[in-house]
Amino acid sequence: MSYSIKVIKKHEQITAAWSGGTTTQLAIYPENAEYNKRNFLWRISTASIQDEQSLFTCLPDFWRKLMVIEGEVILEYEGSRQVGLTPYEQESFSGGWVTRSMGKVTDFNLITAAGCRGELEALFIKKGTSREIDCHKDDVEFSLVTEAFYCTEGQVRFSINEDQSLWLEKGDICVLSRRASLDKVNIKISHSGNESAAYVIRAHIVS
C-alpha cells in the first residue's frame, strides 16, 4: 500500500476549554507533538467560539487557515483590517497577528509551521452523487503529503484506489498520508446517508 490512513471518530476526540470557548484537536503531526509546546508541523482542530468577542492565541512562526462551519464571524487583524465570514467561507492569516473575533461560531482550523503548506476546500455532495480527487505527485521539495477529510454534515463513503472503503459520519475525520514522490492516489467520496446532502472539509497539507 502506497499510503497510510487513520480514522478518528467523533467519540475518540478530546475537547478542551480555551479563553473564548472550546477546541477539539482532530489531528496533529508528528503524532507525538504537543500543541502547548509548539513542536508540531501542522495541527487540525475545530473550535466553538462562545463569547461575542474573543482574542486568538498568539502563534508566531505559524500560519492559520480558518473555515466557518456554523454561524457568522468578523475577524479583525492588528486593530484595523476586518473580514466577515459565513459558513464554508475561509480566511488565511499569520498566527503572529493580533486577531480578534466577533460573533459566536463553530469553525475548522488548520495551523502550519514554517516550511509547510496547506489548503482548505469545502466539498458539497448531493444525495446520489460523488466527488473524485486525484492526489498526484507533489513538489519534490516536500516529503510528506496529507489529505484530511472532516465530515460536518451527513454521511459519506470513501473509496481509495478502488481497493479500500470507509465511512464517515458527522464529526468524524480521516487522515491519509503518503510520500510526495509516489504515484497518485484516487479518492472517491460518495453520499451515503438519508440527508439531501453531505458536507466535507478537505485539508491538503505538504510538509
Side-chain angles (χ1 to χ4, degrees), residues 1-4 135-140 142-145 161 176-185:
M1 189 180 294
S2 60
Y3 59 89
S4 65
C135 306
H136 299 279
K137 292 182 179 180
D138 280 75
D139 298 338
V140 293
F142 299 101
S143 59
L144 184 69
V145 180
N161 285 350
L176 184 150
S177 300
R178 64 183 178 86
R179 308 310 297 179
S181 59
L182 293 178
D183 291 335
K184 73 176 184 179
V185 174

Side-chain angles (χ1 to χ4, degrees), residues 116-176:
C116 300
R117 193 172 69 208
E119 302 293 337
L120 300 182
E121 179 185 9
L123 305 176
F124 174 65
I125 305 169
K126 292 183 179 180
K127 190 171 185 177
T129 67
S130 62
R131 291 281 300 271
E132 287 201 39
I133 297 173
D134 286 323
C135 306
H136 299 279
K137 292 182 179 180
D138 280 75
D139 298 338
V140 293
E141 62 184 293
F142 299 101
S143 59
L144 184 69
V145 180
T146 301
E147 297 282 354
F149 299 91
Y150 178 67
C151 183
T152 62
E153 196 66 46
Q155 186 180 53
V156 289
R157 175 178 181 265
F158 283 76
S159 299
I160 305 165
N161 285 350
E162 298 183 350
D163 61 9
Q164 183 174 6
S165 295
L166 56 92
W167 284 260
L168 295 185
E169 297 180 344
K170 182 177 180 178
D172 299 342
I173 186 172
C174 71
V175 181
L176 184 150

